[in-house]
Amino acid sequence: MKAPLEAERVPVAHYRVDNGEDFDLRRFATAVTANYRDLSDYRQRMEAYRRSIRQWQRKLFADGQRGLLVVVQGMDAAGKNGLIRRVMGGVDPAGLHVWSFGPPTSKELRQDFMRRYHQYLPEYGEIAVFNRSYYEFALSARIHPEWLEARGIEAGNAKRTAFWQQVYETIQAFEHYLLDNGIYVVKLMPHVSEQVQRQRLLDRLHTEHKRWKLSEADCNDVRRWNDLAEAYAACIQGTATARSPWYVLPGDDKRTTRLLAAEAVLQALENMAPQWPDGLDGDNANKRARIAAILNGESKR
């Protein structure tokens, strides 16, 4: 299968955050110059990315030595579902699992905030995509102290820096544990502006086949866009490392976001560099010759 030509690939390094201490969300624009010429060019680029991701995923599945976790974490109407469909749409379903996480159940609220996600981690050879993730606790609970109380945690902790620093350290340790055990992590934040978010939610309200995705809670949270942006900034500051970086992607133009996300996923797979296994207990030319002879009817028992 043909990989994208180097000239067709979009630069994503500018949006990579691997040192949280220096992170400032205000430096990351929600709108940038489009990374495609027109709709036709966008479709060609995206299809080329999908071919390459599919090729690497097939090797990952056959190799069966490591896995990839893709975390897509963004505000409401940031384009998470469409990003996942477009970027991962060409992957063999046998090696891909997409999990969407809503509010925790009453049972999950009686557990530690990381527990619900463990059972959905990728096995070796697989890619798992989390549409929202364990980061929800570090984001939404920061602006909804009642979520802390539901877990038996004092609501006043929502304003305590030390409390959230402990949460970030827990997440860091979890992701480094995954890496130490062969599970690579790619974290994508489609960064959408308040104005575009409001317009997309209005579009949902007035579009029959999208209205089901809209809730009153979503609309109420729009009023707290700045508070949630601060929560994202603090969270990325506390969890972006060289081993587990974030990609803060401009989210106002969905096509630009998707191409950047595809590049980030492709780079992760290239860095993992899975290889086709021989499949015959080692690279043994004589063994392959004997099997070929049997299959060609040239060898008698």
Side-chain angles (χ1 to χ4, degrees), residues 218-290:
D218 296 338
C219 301
N220 289 332
D221 280 350
V222 171
R223 302 175 184 174
R224 304 195 64 181
W225 188 95
N226 288 325
D227 294 335
L228 194 51
E230 289 181 7
Y232 268 93
C235 184
I236 293 173
Q237 285 173 355
T239 59
T241 67
R243 296 189 69 198
S244 183
W246 276 92
Y247 290 89
V248 181
L249 309 178
D252 285 359
D253 175 25
K254 292 181 180 180
R255 294 169 186 162
T256 291
T257 311
R258 293 164 185 168
L259 288 172
L260 290 168
E263 175 67 21
V265 172
L266 179 57
Q267 284 187 17
L269 288 165
E270 289 174 337
N271 291 334
M272 294 171 73
Q275 300 298 315
W276 294 114
D278 181 72
L280 294 173
D281 299 323
D283 188 9
N284 188 317
N286 291 332
K287 183 182 292 185
R288 290 200 300 273
R290 289 198 304 272

Side-chain angles (χ1 to χ4, degrees), residues 47-186:
E47 181 54 35
Y49 272 118
R50 285 156 62 112
R51 286 198 305 268
S52 289
I53 290 171
R54 179 168 63 244
Q55 181 181 26
W56 281 110
Q57 182 266 339
R58 290 177 63 197
K59 289 183 178 180
L60 181 73
F61 186 79
D63 190 35
Q65 300 297 311
R66 286 160 296 174
L68 176 63
L69 172 63
V70 180
V71 172
V72 183
Q73 186 74 47
M75 296 187 190
D76 293 322
K80 299 181 291 296
N81 289 315
L83 183 157
I84 294 168
R85 281 197 304 272
R86 269 58 171 203
V87 174
M88 308 306 298
V91 173
D92 187 336
L96 173 70
H97 299 283
V98 179
W99 306 104
S100 297
F101 296 98
T105 64
S106 58
K107 179 180 180 180
E108 289 167 341
L109 286 171
R110 297 194 299 271
Q111 303 167 351
D112 70 89
F113 77 95
M114 297 291 292
R115 181 172 174 178
R116 70 187 297 210
Y117 304 98
H118 285 222
Q119 62 184 313
Y120 301 108
L121 292 170
E123 297 181 6
Y124 292 150
E126 294 182 344
I127 298 175
V129 182
F130 283 4
N131 184 351
R132 299 188 185 271
S133 67
Y134 42 88
Y135 280 98
E136 278 296 299
F137 180 75
L139 295 165
S140 297
R142 196 178 179 109
I143 65 171
H144 291 289
E146 65 273 16
W147 290 22
L148 294 179
E149 291 183 317
R151 290 184 177 275
I153 301 172
E154 184 181 342
N157 282 306
K159 296 183 179 180
R160 292 182 57 238
T161 301
F163 173 80
W164 293 115
Q165 187 57 42
Q166 186 177 25
V167 171
Y168 304 149
E169 290 174 0
T170 298
I171 292 174
Q172 268 196 41
F174 174 69
E175 291 176 344
H176 290 176
Y177 163 80
L178 293 180
L179 288 160
D180 290 341
N181 287 275
I183 303 297
Y184 284 57
V185 184
V186 176

Side-chain angles (χ1 to χ4, degrees), residues 9-24:
R9 297 182 67 161
V10 297
V12 76
H14 177 71
Y15 307 103
R16 178 184 167 111
V17 182
D18 53 17
N19 182 358
E21 293 180 1
D22 299 330
F23 177 71
D24 185 348

